[in-house]
Amino acid sequence: MRHALPLFGRGLALTLEISFFGILGATLLGFGVALCLFFKPKVLKSLAKGYSELARNTPLLIQLFFLYYGLHEVGFSFSALVCAVLGVVFLGGAYMAESFLLGFKALNRVQLESSLSLGLSKWQSLLFVLLPQSLAISLPSLGANVIFLLKETSVVSAIALADLMFVAKDLIGIYYKTNEALVLLVLSYLVVLLPLSGLFVFLEKHYKKKTC
């Protein structure tokens, strides 16, 4: 199966590309949604709640089919790669929002009121007072979401993207080397996920020390 290693390498590169842009977009979207839910502007809060419920209660596979096949039927065509990234952003944003909101809610609201009384705006209070403290609380949940979303990219093969799962299924179908292909698949994910998990453990300890 040595000839399969370059294929797994390209599959891993595609998986990482989708994961990077998808998780980055999901983090930004989730942060915005969390702000809407925390500061509670009525219209935005309702929209944020509706989006969160829709995203968390529909599988990524269904979302990908809608983006890739459904939108095409109404005149909006995107490449499979763009649809994969958008799907991860859409799904991940809801989970990231819950993680950020968890951190915000864990803080005493008196801190926000105190910072406002000192003359800081809401945004300054958020960036310089609430966010640094809430990150230490949210980080374990954010890290779990990153790993979850990276693993969820395994379904993008359904829209003909040659990611790790696609390569493994292709090799099994051609060479009937099921065990070898699955071992390479597991090892490919472990190469990424184990260091990533260790990084988040390190960051969590680092932020806890800073906030203690």
Side-chain angles (χ1 to χ4, degrees):
M1 292 289 283
R2 287 184 181 179
H3 62 281
L5 292 177
L7 295 175
F8 271 95
R10 288 193 287 271
L12 179 59
L14 180 61
T15 295
L16 290 176
E17 182 182 359
I18 295 168
S19 299
F20 176 78
F21 290 108
I23 291 169
L24 178 62
T27 303
L28 296 175
L29 176 61
F31 186 67
V33 171
L35 291 181
C36 293
L37 293 171
F38 183 70
F39 286 115
K40 300 179 180 179
K42 287 183 180 179
V43 176
L44 290 179
K45 184 181 178 183
S46 299
L47 290 173
K49 273 189 173 180
Y51 152 71
S52 184
E53 290 299 320
L54 176 63
R56 285 188 298 154
N57 289 291
T58 52
L60 178 58
L61 185 60
I62 303 301
Q63 296 168 9
L64 289 176
F65 281 167
F66 174 78
L67 290 168
Y68 191 62
Y69 299 110
L71 291 183
H72 178 75
E73 294 299 318
V74 293
F76 295 96
S77 294
F78 299 103
S79 69
L81 180 60
V82 170
C83 289
V85 171
L86 289 177
V88 174
V89 171
F90 184 79
L91 175 69
Y95 287 95
M96 291 297 189
E98 290 299 317
S99 297
F100 282 117
L101 192 61
L102 175 72
F104 291 148
K105 286 183 174 179
L107 299 178
N108 195 325
R109 207 168 181 90
V110 173
Q111 294 185 58
L112 175 61
E113 294 168 359
S114 299
S115 60
L116 292 174
S117 68
L118 291 173
L120 296 178
S121 68
K122 274 190 175 181
W123 288 107
Q124 289 173 324
S125 301
L126 173 71
L127 290 175
F128 300 117
V129 179
L130 297 182
L131 188 57
Q133 297 178 74
S134 66
L135 270 180
I137 301 165
S138 300
L139 203 55
S141 179
L142 291 171
N145 286 339
V146 168
I147 292 171
F148 162 72
L149 291 173
L150 200 152
K151 290 187 291 185
E152 279 291 288
T153 60
S154 61
V155 303
V156 301
S157 59
I159 54 173
L161 282 172
D163 70 324
L164 285 171
M165 185 63 74
F166 183 96
V167 170
K169 289 191 294 186
D170 206 31
L171 290 172
I172 291 170
I174 295 172
Y175 299 106
Y176 301 100
K177 300 278 189 179
T178 304
N179 292 335
E180 292 88 340
L182 291 179
V183 167
L184 287 174
L185 178 64
V186 170
L187 289 176
S188 298
Y189 275 109
L190 286 177
V191 163
V192 177
L193 294 175
L194 286 178
L196 195 59
S197 179
L199 174 63
F200 277 105
V201 169
F202 169 78
L203 290 174
E204 183 185 347
K205 290 179 179 178
H206 176 71
Y207 270 101
K208 278 186 177 179
K209 283 181 181 178
K210 279 198 167 186
T211 53
C212 287

